Amino acid sequence: MLKVTKFGGSSMADAGQYRKIRDILQADPGRKVVVVSAAGKRNKNDNKLTDLLYLCHAHSQYGVDCTPVFDMITSRYIEIRDELNLDVNLEQEFALLKKRVDGKSVTQDELVSRGEYFSAKLMAAYLDFQFVDAADWIRFNLDGSVDKENSYELLQGLVKGKGVVIPGFYGIMPDGHIRTFSRGGSDITGALAAAALDADVYENWTDVSGILMADPRIVENPQAIAEVTYDELRELSYAGAQVLHEGTILPVREKGIPLNIRNTNDPEHPGTIIREKFDTEVDPHRVITGITGKKDYSIITVFKRGLTSEVGILRRILGVLEKHHISVDFVPNGIDNVSLVMPTAVVAPKLYTLLADMQQHIEPDNIEVMDQVAIVAAVGHRMAYRPGVSGQIFKALGEADINIRMINQGPDELNIIFGVDNRDFASAIRVLYNSFAK
Ligand code: ASP
């Protein structure tokens, strides 16, 4: 059994967290591959090392002395090393790096990648595992995508019998330069390592006990989702949930490796399991897997008598949006009207020219624009072909006096999405949570 484990920034924030990680690894001998983030925040007012590294680079680019920021960075790592009594000569590496920063000979990506690099050096020493640099196996193509075949082969050659620690977040370009993934990219490194080594499971350790059924800033103490399919996860993240990004999980999804989200601060909690399909389910009676949503949408409704019978009209309406490079999220329609639902931030800067073009090309009877709309999504594969779910949703919202501005159900019946006023957003989510989380 091989488990690839990835520990995020808050799990790497101080020496106490390193001890928790060692206990987690010792509890299961399958946990032999460890991918780490840079040190994260120790408390609400603290800084993430990665942010400090970006700041340090910006200082040096604008000719401002970055020594105070650089010292904040180095002292975080020295503190961890000394508290754990590790024999790692950080001072020498820090001095060399500082020289290169001052001489402007280090790129932003390389400097920022050092957050994970030093985390991995310390963790490898602490666990007495082998340090395997991401620069020795993650190969980017010129277009910025990962050359998976080559990278997988390289990692397979580097991992011997002993446990390994790998820094997340970066790899190298064909010319040998370090390149980072986008923010949060250590998750991708973990997924690539799991796929390369054909792991039995990819454990992603963070500071919550899995994916929550609803946003904890809206619902007090929401339950964690025990099991979620990759398709449901995509729906949840599209509709606003702060969960792992699709690109992150692609390498493990491609190989059919289950992903388990766990909490470093509550290691007994089983967290959330994500996989393609569940043959037997922990909770087969749960209809809705998660509830999420986003505020600040606009709905443009085009009214034109005979719209549904006019050949090509939808294409022409969508063509106007295409001309303005606007992608539309939902297109609910009536007999003589069609609505276009998009984030306000996308449509607002182009609204007046867009409306003028609609007038010219569509010749509508009327156009209405409605702002301050929130979309709410109830997601769950067990809703499919099950009568009564939408009835239950809309009954609950009606009883709470929440007016619905738009309804949309995906053809695969994996979600029911509806629009409400921004001001009803939080109560709509709470109402649904209370009627479905049992
Ligand atoms: N340290 C990087 C960031 O803060 C990458 C990561 O933690 O995943 O974005």
Side-chain angles (χ1 to χ4, degrees):
M1 169 75 77
L2 174 66
K3 296 184 173 180
V4 169
T5 59
K6 179 259 166 181
F7 292 90
S10 58
S11 304
M12 296 293 297
D14 59 23
Q17 296 297 80
Y18 277 55
R19 292 191 187 101
K20 287 184 194 168
I21 291 177
R22 190 180 54 185
D23 292 345
I24 288 168
L25 298 176
Q26 282 176 350
D28 186 335
R31 293 178 176 138
K32 282 199 282 284
V33 176
V34 182
V35 175
V36 294
S37 281
K41 293 184 181 193
R42 291 162 292 189
N43 54 58
K44 225 169 65 241
N45 302 319
D46 200 11
N47 300 107
K48 280 178 151 197
L49 256 287
T50 308
D51 293 334
L52 294 178
L53 286 159
Y54 276 114
L55 193 60
C56 185
H57 187 260
H59 272 69
S60 80
Q61 287 311 293
Y62 290 109
V64 179
D65 181 18
C66 77
T67 308
V69 180
F70 196 84
D71 288 348
M72 283 167 81
I73 295 165
T74 55
S75 61
R76 284 284 298 275
Y77 284 117
I78 287 174
E79 213 172 276
I80 294 173
R81 179 196 65 185
D82 292 347
E83 206 180 316
L84 298 174
N85 280 322
L86 303 176
D87 184 20
V88 181
N89 185 352
L90 291 174
E91 285 79 358
Q92 201 179 349
E93 291 209 53
F94 286 149
L96 272 172
L97 184 61
K98 181 67 170 40
K99 241 197 205 143
R100 291 182 58 215
V101 173
D102 291 340
K104 293 192 184 174
S105 68
V106 60
T107 63
Q108 173 176 280
D109 278 21
E110 182 179 352
L111 179 59
V112 166
S113 76
R114 297 304 84 185
E116 327 325 88
Y117 172 86
F118 289 118
S119 271
K121 280 268 158 153
L122 291 179
M123 186 56 86
Y126 182 54
L127 299 171
D128 190 24
F129 276 18
Q130 179 197 349
F131 169 81
V132 170
D133 198 346
D136 291 335
W137 66 276
I138 294 188
R139 294 276 183 273
F140 286 102
N141 294 310
L142 280 174
D143 64 3
S145 61
V146 174
D147 176 353
K148 288 188 199 157
E149 207 179 312
N150 201 356
S151 304
Y152 291 177
E153 212 179 294
L154 285 165
L155 183 62
Q156 287 153 12
L158 289 167
V159 175
K160 306 279 161 2
K162 194 177 167 186
V164 299
V165 180
I166 300 168
F169 195 35
Y170 67 94
I172 58 167
M173 290 296 283
D175 65 3
H177 274 94
I178 285 189
R179 178 189 171 102
T180 55
F181 291 109
S182 52
R183 294 298 306 265
S186 299
D187 288 333
I188 307 181
T189 312
L192 289 168
L197 302 172
D198 279 320
D200 295 285
V201 59
Y202 170 31
E203 291 183 342
N204 192 299
W205 291 81
T206 166
D207 53 9
V208 274
S209 296
I211 299 172
L212 303 175
M213 244 192 107
D215 187 335
R217 290 167 301 186
I218 298 175
V219 171
E220 209 186 308
N221 221 352
Q223 294 175 25
I225 301 171
E227 294 172 335
V228 59
T229 66
Y230 282 114
D231 285 336
E232 287 173 321
L233 190 74
R234 165 151 172 70
E235 299 271 350
L236 285 168
S237 70
Y238 180 77
Q242 304 281 325
V243 292
L244 289 178
H245 201 266
E246 210 193 353
T248 310
I249 53 190
L250 204 61
V252 278
R253 186 174 187 179
E254 279 171 352
K255 291 240 176 165
I257 299 170
L259 196 144
N260 187 192
I261 303 195
R262 302 287 291 261
N263 187 352
T264 304
N265 305 318
D266 185 8
E268 300 306 318
H269 195 292
T272 302
I273 294 267
I274 306 159
R275 60 192 324 159
E276 205 60 51
K277 189 167 159 280
F278 294 90
D279 294 331
T280 51
E281 298 179 302
V282 175
D283 195 357
H285 304 296
R286 185 177 291 275
V287 183
I288 286 186
T289 304
I291 301 147
T292 185
K294 289 189 269 199
K295 280 177 150 178
D296 296 326
Y297 272 73
S298 294
I299 303 182
I300 298 179
T301 304
V302 179
F303 297 86
K304 188 170 189 190
R305 191 150 330 129
L307 183 130
T308 17
S309 47
E310 192 174 326
V311 175
I313 184 88
L314 273 183
R315 181 185 53 74
R316 286 194 285 125
I317 291 173
L318 294 175
V320 174
L321 291 178
E322 187 177 355
K323 182 180 157 204
H324 289 268
H325 295 284
I326 295 174
S327 73
V328 59
D329 285 44
F330 309 104
V331 191
N333 71 311
I335 304 293
D336 286 333
N337 51 53
V338 57
S339 292
L340 309 161
V341 186
M342 299 145 294
T344 305
V346 170
V347 76
K350 302 167 179 173
L351 185 64
Y352 296 108
T353 46
L354 179 80
L355 293 180
D357 275 351
M358 284 283 182
Q359 288 291 358
Q360 191 188 340
H361 297 289
I362 312 300
E363 296 177 349
D365 298 329
N366 190 19
I367 300 185
E368 274 176 13
V369 182
M370 195 196 314
D371 289 328
Q372 307 275 330
V373 176
I375 60 151
V376 177
V379 175
H381 69 273
R382 283 178 230 96
M383 292 196 301
Y385 313 110
R386 189 176 189 133
V389 181
S390 54
Q392 196 180 337
I393 291 177
F394 297 121
K395 180 168 175 276
L397 293 167
E399 281 169 3
D401 216 14
I402 295 171
N403 183 33
I404 296 160
R405 327 278 324 226
M406 177 273 288
I407 301 175
N408 192 82
Q409 180 176 39
D412 49 9
E413 298 188 27
L414 205 57
N415 67 34
I416 294 177
I417 294 181
F418 54 90
V420 295
D421 280 347
N422 266 350
R423 62 169 184 276
D424 289 332
F425 177 65
S427 35
I429 291 198
R430 278 195 284 267
V431 163
L432 287 195
Y433 180 83
N434 291 335
S435 60
F436 282 99
K438 298 214 178 72

